[in-house]
Amino acid sequence: APADSGPREAQALATMSALLKGGARVTAKDAYGLTALHHAAQAGGVEAIDFLLGLTVSLSIRRAPLEAETNAEERALHLAAAGGHAAAVRSLLKHNANPNHTNYQQQSALHLAALGGESAASLATLKELTAAVRRCNALGTALACPRRGCGR
């Protein structure tokens, strides 16, 4: 998230908390199949990602589905990677997002990050994802790697 978004992000977290306490579903999707977690990842909102993935602890509510797919079969990690949001990618990997899943075009988050070019944000994102993919591959079970902690 941008450095100046502190108060705005705090307000967004307070709004999400109030909505969830009021009965909103963390699994709800928009017309494109995006959940709140997808939107947080797309915006690079690390605090929102951590909030949504920590709900079972903070509010005793079922946490956001980490591997939920959009209509384009993209997960939150795909959206964070495509946006060059290295901190969001790091957060999702910390929560054991699987870096090897692909979208309907068979693109992984690493592929989408590579399409971002040579900006500092894209390169930082590529570095995070490359390390995670290497950890998964070293474990030998690419699709089961999150259960074994390759995201950390």
Side-chain angles (χ1 to χ4, degrees), residues 27-113:
T27 57
K29 293 184 174 190
D30 65 15
Y32 301 99
L34 279 72
T35 65
L37 182 61
H38 288 112
H39 285 285
Q42 191 170 43
V46 175
E47 292 85 0
I49 290 167
D50 289 339
F51 172 79
L52 290 165
L53 293 174
L55 286 173
T56 49
V57 174
S58 63
L59 294 178
S60 297
I61 297 173
R62 189 173 139 223
R63 79 181 211 158
L66 178 63
E67 299 294 348
E69 292 184 344
T70 67
N71 296 350
E73 298 176 12
E74 292 183 325
R75 291 158 177 85
L77 188 61
H78 286 102
L79 299 177
H85 302 298
V89 165
R90 189 176 315 110
S91 177
L92 290 162
L93 290 169
K94 178 186 73 176
H95 289 284
N96 291 325
N98 189 332
N100 289 316
H101 279 299
T102 58
N103 63 16
Y104 79 101
Q105 293 179 317
Q106 301 306 303
Q107 296 169 314
S108 70
L110 185 61
H111 292 119
L112 295 174

Side-chain angles (χ1 to χ4, degrees), residues 66-67 93 95-99 136 139 141-152:
L66 178 63
E67 299 294 348
L93 290 169
H95 289 284
N96 291 325
N98 189 332
C136 283
L139 291 170
T141 310
L143 292 179
C145 67
R147 290 181 291 217
R148 297 159 101 191
C150 74
R152 295 184 187 148

